[in-house]
Amino acid sequence: MRKEINGIIYDTELSTRDKKFTCGAPGDECGYEETLYITAEGHYFIYTNGGCKSKFPREEIHPIEHSQVREWMLSH
């Protein structure tokens, strides 16, 4: 997925995946995944996607500040 937010390009194919959290099994309509990425320029973002009844029912990119990364990792 590729998305531009505030002039910054976030691209899951061109960025480095750091950590992935999965809840549920493949095909679970309540399941979802959250994946932390870092761009070549050092910008962090979380890619989310899930089943139709999950808290992430569609693909989305959420920028995250470096100072928030540790908190996100510890919450999973």
Side-chain angles (χ1 to χ4, degrees):
M1 177 177 197
R2 183 179 192 274
K3 187 172 185 178
E4 181 175 346
I5 301 171
N6 296 327
I8 299 171
I9 302 294
Y10 299 96
D11 190 326
T12 57
E13 295 206 16
L14 300 177
S15 300
T16 302
R17 184 171 62 181
D18 191 345
K19 182 177 180 182
K20 183 174 185 176
F21 172 77
T22 303
C23 178
D28 180 355
E29 59 187 24
C30 293
Y32 62 91
E33 67 182 29
E34 297 178 68
T35 309
L36 177 67
Y37 286 89
I38 183 169
T39 68
E41 295 79 24
H43 300 284
Y44 288 88
F45 66 97
I46 298 171
Y47 164 82
T48 58
N49 193 21
C52 61
K53 293 184 179 179
S54 75
K55 65 180 183 178
F56 302 114
R58 62 183 176 279
E59 282 186 302
E60 192 58 66
I61 285 179
H62 310 271
I64 184 172
E65 294 295 324
H66 182 264
S67 61
Q68 298 171 304
V69 170
R70 180 175 166 81
E71 182 180 328
W72 180 85
M73 288 182 143
L74 292 175
S75 70
H76 295 86

